[in-house]
Amino acid sequence: LCLAAREWLFRREESLCVSKLVVLETTLVCNESLAYLGYVKGLHRFIDHRNVALPGHFQSYQLDLETGRGLWSTDPPKVIPDVIEALIGAVHIDSGLNAGQKAALCVIAPLLKSISCMLGNELNNLTSLLHPKQNLYEMTGGIISARVYKKDVFHKLGFPSPLLCEFGCYSSVDGGGYVGVVKCKQVILSVAVEASKLAAVNVVCELTVQMLKERPHIISELQDMRSAFAK
């Protein structure tokens, strides 16, 4: 799957920098994308399992999608991308590399179409589609970190109230049990409270990406601060 995505991106006419290629590849092959593609095609209805928790997880995921939670603020059942990857692998084994690569591209075709359309217009339009954590890492050069804590652990560690984060970038959902935190050294940039670990880290990273797009000078300020800490 990664090979198919990389070759498709490499053969694009647009001249894309390495960092953008990395983010796009991550977006195409990550569990969140594969789970969404598999779920909307009804793959979950054909999975033979004995996990009593899965039906509830499927229903919860569907509710998140129906209420407009978006690709990155959901907690998709990991069994769906696992099955998709297994099926792609089976095609490679049974029918060879070429057929396997065609199968991989067929699976991610809806995303390829969306990315192709957006690349044809303006690269900045891709932001909402890109994997938040990888996009943030490439944007900042790795000078900041993203962590997730259980809500009670977050408070026990002595973090300030989420509403007091330095740049005022805060998001919360009712009943959220996990706190996503983006910070540089001891400076908290963004906080998000979500119901799952995956959603918490994705949402807090996307919040930070949007903030840095609006206030790009913050990146250079953080770089200066990190250099001062290093001395």
Side-chain angles (χ1 to χ4, degrees):
L1 179 60
C2 290
L3 178 61
R6 288 175 186 176
E7 184 174 9
W8 184 85
L9 289 168
F10 181 76
R11 295 184 183 278
R12 293 287 306 177
E13 294 180 357
E14 295 84 6
S15 179
L16 301 174
C17 62
V18 173
S19 61
K20 190 63 67 176
L21 288 170
V22 171
V23 176
L24 287 171
E25 180 197 346
T26 302
T27 301
L28 289 170
V29 304
C30 68
N31 284 341
E32 295 94 325
S33 296
L34 295 181
Y36 175 78
L37 293 172
Y39 193 87
V40 296
K41 291 295 185 180
L43 177 62
H44 57 289
R45 295 197 295 268
F46 300 93
I47 298 176
D48 186 12
H49 64 87
R50 298 294 182 270
N51 187 336
V52 296
L54 264 184
H57 199 171
F58 289 149
Q59 291 179 357
S60 175
Y61 183 57
Q62 180 175 345
L63 181 61
D64 283 342
L65 295 177
E66 290 176 348
T67 54
R69 291 283 291 158
L71 186 62
W72 307 118
S73 56
T74 60
D75 183 24
K78 189 175 181 298
V79 65
I80 298 178
D82 286 346
V83 170
I84 290 176
E85 291 172 346
L87 292 172
I88 293 174
V91 177
H92 278 81
I93 293 174
D94 289 346
S95 304
L97 177 63
N98 290 336
Q101 292 295 280
K102 288 181 180 179
L105 291 176
C106 181
V107 168
I108 59 177
L111 280 178
L112 297 180
K113 183 178 180 180
S114 296
I115 290 176
S116 184
C117 291
M118 291 179 177
L119 285 175
N121 295 321
E122 186 177 350
L123 202 59
N124 289 335
N125 293 337
L126 279 170
T127 301
S128 61
L129 186 63
L130 299 178
H131 191 280
K133 187 175 182 181
Q134 189 67 46
N135 194 24
L136 178 61
Y137 179 83
E138 298 295 339
M139 176 186 288
T140 60
I143 65 172
I144 62 180
S145 61
R147 296 284 303 276
V148 179
Y149 305 89
K150 285 188 175 181
K151 188 185 289 186
D152 57 339
V153 174
F154 177 82
H155 294 301
K156 288 179 181 177
L157 289 175
F159 284 103
S161 166
L163 295 175
L164 299 178
C165 57
E166 274 77 350
F167 293 96
C169 200
Y170 171 69
S171 173
S172 178
V173 297
D174 292 337
Y178 292 90
V179 182
V181 180
V182 167
K183 61 181 182 176
C184 178
K185 294 298 183 180
Q186 301 306 313
V187 178
I188 297 178
L189 302 177
S190 309
V191 174
V193 183
E194 291 286 336
S196 72
K197 294 173 65 175
L198 184 62
V201 71
N202 282 335
V203 169
V204 75
C205 287
E206 182 59 27
L207 281 171
T208 311
V209 166
Q210 296 302 326
M211 178 187 67
L212 294 179
K213 282 183 62 180
E214 295 177 4
R215 296 181 252 180
H217 64 277
I218 292 177
I219 296 179
S220 59
E221 292 177 6
L222 293 175
Q223 289 172 334
D224 293 341
M225 183 188 72
R226 191 179 185 190
S227 298
F229 271 115
K231 295 178 182 179

